[in-house]
Amino acid sequence: MFDTKISLPDNYNEENRYPLILLNDGEINYLGDLKDRAILVGLIPQNRLDAFTPWKASNLKPSMPDFGGNLDEYHSQVFEHLLPELLCKYSIDESKIVYGGYSLGGLAAVCSLYSTTAPSIIFSLCGSFWYPQFLDYCESHEVLNKKASLYLQNGKTEGTKHNNILSNAPILSARLHKLLSDKLDKVTSAFDEYGHHENITQRYKNLIEWLKENLK
């Protein structure tokens, strides 16, 4: 269902315990400033439109395949199969397991709050919180992973060039940020002035600084 890309610190030593960072879409190069203090694992799904979506939905572009809604299966593979293998193979601090992603990968990470307590830290950059019925789901279900530290970042101008559900992205994101800030004790909520595919490098830099503080 997915491939993995694993990066160990250059000074990796079995006698030490390292944080583990699981990143949807596998672009661990963005987390390069953490490569010597954490084990980085990129998760590369065969079909992200299926793997990162919580239920089936029609795609917003007729030319694109629909969303498959296989997130439960994806998370089962990540947290019930891959994670135990990583814990057996590498020297990991089990109190510092991080999970996150960008766009649909961020949506998937936030969804995990409702299904598993494995990660202690969760992050979402420009999470696709416009996804049909997602906000309704979050409002009507209880968060399972109440002890997690959560980092949420979205852009104020996401979706401005669209005339479909994407045009509501900033409003839905703001509502989701407030909802989770009310339900969890440790939430960092951030918005910048950019669109969905803009300012990506700086967004990751801001995330990295937050992660450094939370991984101490």
Side-chain angles (χ1 to χ4, degrees), residues 40-99:
L40 308 179
V41 178
L43 307 172
I44 309 166
Q46 296 168 5
N47 185 332
R48 68 191 302 275
L49 299 184
D50 290 353
F52 294 157
T53 50
W55 43 79
K56 292 183 179 181
S58 298
N59 203 297
L60 307 181
K61 297 180 180 178
S63 59
M64 296 287 289
D66 290 338
F67 300 107
N70 290 335
L71 182 58
D72 284 346
E73 181 183 351
Y74 175 74
H75 277 162
S76 174
Q77 291 295 319
V78 171
F79 295 115
E80 296 175 25
H81 297 278
L82 175 64
L83 181 56
E85 291 176 5
L86 294 172
L87 293 174
C88 286
K89 188 172 183 179
Y90 301 109
S91 183
I92 293 170
D93 183 344
E94 294 187 41
S95 70
K96 295 178 181 178
I97 294 175
V98 185
Y99 175 49

Side-chain angles (χ1 to χ4, degrees), residues 140-154:
S140 61
H141 288 74
E142 282 299 314
V143 172
L144 181 65
N145 195 0
K146 291 181 180 295
K147 295 183 179 180
S149 296
L150 177 63
Y151 181 90
L152 298 172
Q153 184 280 321
N154 282 90

Side-chain angles (χ1 to χ4, degrees), residues 10 25 30 40 51 57 71 165 177-178 196-197 212:
D10 289 339
D25 282 317
Y30 282 115
L40 308 179
L71 182 58
I165 193 174
H177 283 223
K178 184 178 187 311
H196 191 69
H197 298 291
K212 286 179 179 178

Side-chain angles (χ1 to χ4, degrees), residues 161-178:
K161 298 178 181 179
H162 297 270
N163 58 1
N164 51 30
I165 193 174
L166 288 175
S167 64
N168 292 323
I171 295 172
L172 294 171
S173 295
R175 288 175 61 187
L176 190 282
H177 283 223
K178 184 178 187 311

